[in-house]
Amino acid sequence: MSKALVCTCEDVTVTDVEHAIERGYHDVESVKRYTGFGTGICQGKSCHAAVAALLKQKAPALKPEGVVPFTPRPPLYPTELRVLASAPVDEAVPPVGGVPQELEHFPSALRPTGPVPQKAKVVIIGGGIMGLSLAYNLALRGETDVVVLERGYLCAGASGRNGGGVRMQWGTPALIELAKRSIDLMKGFARDLGVNVWLRQGGYLFLAKRKDTAYRLDRNAALHNKYGVPTRIITADEARQVVPGLTMKDCVTAAYNPEDGVIFPWAFLWGYAQGSVKRGVKVETYTNVTGFETSNGQVRKVKTDRGDIACDTVVLASGAWSPAVAKLADVKLPNEPHRHEILSTEPLKPFLSPLVSVLDTGLYFSQSMRGEIVGGMGDPLEPSGPNMGSTLRFVSRFARALTEQLPHVGQVKVLRQWGGLYDVTPDNNPILGRTPGLDNLLQMSGFVGHGFMMAPAVAERMAQWMTSGASDELFTRFNLRRFEEGTLEREDMIIG
């Protein structure tokens, strides 16, 4: 065991990196997420070379071209929020571009050399939180002949790019019930899967600036109470007691549920991945789906760049990439990818218990267990498309909106920012259940940024539905057919 440091910012040792390699994380991006190296003040400028050298030494099967730099994150140097807030932004012009521009491609050198299994009872396309939690729940019910296909590394997609918020404050009974169950499962995650996800139930504090938003909060609070969620409408003074230093500028009301919270996204995903593999599930990373073989209304094979897999059932759980994958089977999905950007600051002493969101503007922010302020903000002019680059426009808008509500954080420095994708449907609700015309192609996407917090409960019910054959209204209510039939139930508690 070596206590020699490779990352002084985050106290990552040689042994920490070796442990990540032993766990099967053989690329720089995965090791970064498993150990936390490169996420401190220097952003990897001091430690990347040392980790790359360890990978070359300890993972001999890795090709030299596979030891590539991890994705760079702006800003180049830690920058104060008040400085970023002063950057000129024309909010009448839609955002374009972003850095880095290419986040869709993974080095071919990281692709496993062996073929995928030739057969599996269930193939799950997407190794994010939805796909892996479903695989784990299937395995719990005895169905271990499962292959999960992920085109990149674990945490490459939306599951590794969100702020970690988990809440019961929703606008429809179905999502309230799913969220309640998910949070209950998160409470036992460390016990059941052996991974601490750092669940902190500090609450969600929603702020409203407009009268129509205030009405929505009031209406939904009554709905929450009906389903056992202790949301209450509070005054501006009460909100300032919950978050000292909060200005409540231009806000007319607030809604607060102390049982909502935040968890650590990466550990959540690893727990399900490790739990699945321990029970016999095969998780194939850096594997691209290239097509399907279909006949008589069934998917017979899933085609990949590492061979074909004959299967009985296919589950499409690729988030914002689901429409592109579905198109390979001549299935049209109404989902659209929308970029949402996010950032993290240098750590501060704990002062912020809840996640705070100004619902009108899409601003949200919380404090991580490490003390960082983590937050994002929606952009009404953001065009649809799979863009995950970072923009000065976002960080400037966010810095102004945040310091309007918490002026004392203006001197805090932003360490890194990044982008992820909301998987947006016309009614802000997921697409679940069977695909018309392809009965064994099951849908599990369209969660509009809240799949991360719904995954435990959705996967639990979907695994039970798949293995028992019992009916479940969740998979008829949110079936793909509803968009043709017009039976839509819109969710209105979407941040951003």
Side-chain angles (χ1 to χ4, degrees):
M1 177 180 291
S2 173
K3 294 184 179 180
L5 289 174
V6 293
C7 175
T8 56
C9 296
E10 296 300 319
D11 294 330
V12 178
T13 67
V14 169
T15 298
D16 293 331
V17 176
E18 291 174 344
H19 183 60
I21 295 170
E22 290 170 2
R23 288 278 185 170
Y25 301 110
H26 293 168
D27 61 89
V28 173
E29 290 284 0
S30 296
V31 173
K32 173 186 176 182
R33 283 155 180 78
Y34 195 82
T35 65
F37 97 87
T39 60
I41 293 290
C42 85
Q43 290 296 285
K45 297 180 182 70
S46 302
C47 54
H48 173 255
V51 173
L54 280 170
L55 272 172
K56 184 65 177 68
Q57 176 187 350
K58 301 293 183 179
L62 183 65
K63 299 175 184 177
E65 56 267 35
V67 186
V68 295
F70 55 64
T71 306
R73 303 290 184 205
L76 183 59
Y77 299 104
T79 307
E80 292 181 356
L81 281 162
R82 63 181 180 180
V83 174
L84 294 166
S86 68
V89 169
D90 185 351
E91 299 209 27
V93 178
V96 294
V99 293
Q101 293 186 354
E102 293 296 328
L103 289 171
E104 289 283 290
H105 307 289
F106 303 101
S108 59
L110 295 174
R111 185 181 304 148
T113 55
V116 292
Q118 294 183 342
K119 293 171 56 180
K121 189 167 183 181
V122 180
V123 174
I124 300 173
I125 303 173
I129 196 67
M130 280 291 167
L132 289 170
S133 60
L134 177 61
Y136 173 75
N137 276 276
L138 285 170
L140 282 183
R141 286 160 179 78
E143 185 51 76
T144 58
D145 188 12
V146 178
V147 175
V148 179
L149 302 176
E150 168 54 45
R151 69 193 187 101
Y153 54 88
L154 298 184
C155 293
S159 297
R161 294 172 177 272
N162 63 84
V166 292
R167 59 182 166 103
M168 296 174 254
Q169 293 188 70
W170 292 97
T172 55
L175 294 191
I176 293 171
E177 294 282 22
L178 286 173
K180 285 178 61 180
R181 177 58 181 161
S182 282
I183 291 176
D184 281 343
L185 290 169
M186 291 170 192
K187 291 176 183 178
F189 199 86
R191 177 197 64 225
D192 297 336
L193 287 101
V195 175
N196 191 346
V197 294
W198 304 106
L199 173 63
R200 186 183 80 249
Q201 289 182 279
Y204 258 59
L205 179 65
F206 278 107
L207 312 182
K209 289 189 171 186
R210 300 193 309 263
K211 288 184 178 180
D212 61 321
T213 308
Y215 170 76
R216 196 189 334 163
L217 289 181
D218 190 60
R219 180 199 65 204
N220 287 342
L223 182 65
H224 301 162
N225 296 166
K226 180 179 177 181
Y227 285 89
V229 177
T231 303
R232 67 180 191 273
I233 301 300
I234 62 176
T235 65
D237 286 341
E238 289 173 320
R240 295 187 192 101
Q241 291 176 5
V242 175
V243 179
L246 190 68
T247 66
M248 290 292 290
K249 184 178 179 183
D250 299 330
C251 295
V252 295
T253 193
Y256 177 55
N257 172 26
E259 296 184 1
D260 292 331
V262 178
I263 66 171
F264 184 36
W266 296 345
F268 199 36
L269 194 72
W270 296 326
Y272 278 127
Q274 293 171 14
S276 298
V277 171
K278 284 180 181 178
R279 287 164 175 78
V281 171
K282 294 179 177 62
V283 178
E284 304 286 348
T285 55
Y286 296 104
T287 304
N288 292 300
V289 173
T290 59
F292 298 92
E293 182 180 304
T294 63
S295 65
N296 299 322
Q298 299 277 306
V299 176
R300 304 299 179 182
K301 288 184 179 180
V302 177
K303 297 178 175 294
T304 82
D305 54 3
R306 295 174 52 210
D308 299 349
I309 310 175
C311 55
D312 295 339
T313 302
V314 180
V315 181
L316 183 50
S318 303
W321 290 270
S322 292
V325 179
K327 189 176 180 181
L328 298 173
D330 294 323
V331 173
K332 181 176 175 54
L333 298 182
N335 322 33
E336 286 188 338
H338 283 259
R339 172 175 59 180
H340 278 247
E341 297 185 58
I342 189 171
L343 61 75
S344 179
T345 73
E346 62 186 329
L348 305 172
K349 289 182 178 180
F351 77 96
L352 181 60
S353 294
L355 185 149
V356 181
S357 175
V358 182
L359 196 55
D360 317 75
T361 65
L363 171 74
Y364 69 91
F365 55 92
S366 65
Q367 190 170 24
S368 74
M369 292 293 287
R370 301 198 309 180
E372 308 141 319
I373 296 177
V374 178
M377 187 175 182
D379 193 325
L381 297 185
E382 181 70 50
S384 63
N387 184 359
M388 293 192 292
S390 298
T391 64
L392 178 62
R393 172 192 175 98
F394 155 71
V395 75
S396 178
R397 293 179 66 245
F398 174 85
R400 287 200 299 272
L402 176 62
T403 53
E404 177 185 80
Q405 295 300 331
L406 285 179
H408 67 279
V409 302
Q411 293 179 311
V412 177
K413 294 176 181 177
V414 174
L415 296 189
R416 61 190 180 278
Q417 63 179 106
W418 63 96
L421 296 176
Y422 271 25
D423 183 19
V424 181
T425 59
D427 61 357
N428 289 335
N429 274 311
I431 300 174
L432 299 169
R434 300 191 185 280
T435 303
L438 285 174
D439 195 55
N440 68 334
L441 176 60
L442 307 184
Q443 301 291 336
M444 195 184 192
S445 67
F447 282 88
V448 201
H450 55 271
F452 180 80
M453 63 184 80
M454 299 292 178
V458 172
E460 181 182 59
R461 286 177 65 170
M462 191 160 185
Q464 184 176 358
W465 175 65
M466 290 172 64
T467 56
S468 70
S471 62
D472 187 324
E473 62 88 24
L474 191 67
F475 305 103
T476 53
R477 170 181 291 187
F478 295 129
N479 193 282
L480 183 58
R481 295 182 187 276
R482 75 181 189 272
F483 297 102
E484 290 185 1
E485 297 170 351
T487 54
L488 305 183
E489 181 183 8
R490 187 170 179 80
E491 173 57 56
D492 62 6
M493 283 289 285
I494 301 296
I495 300 176

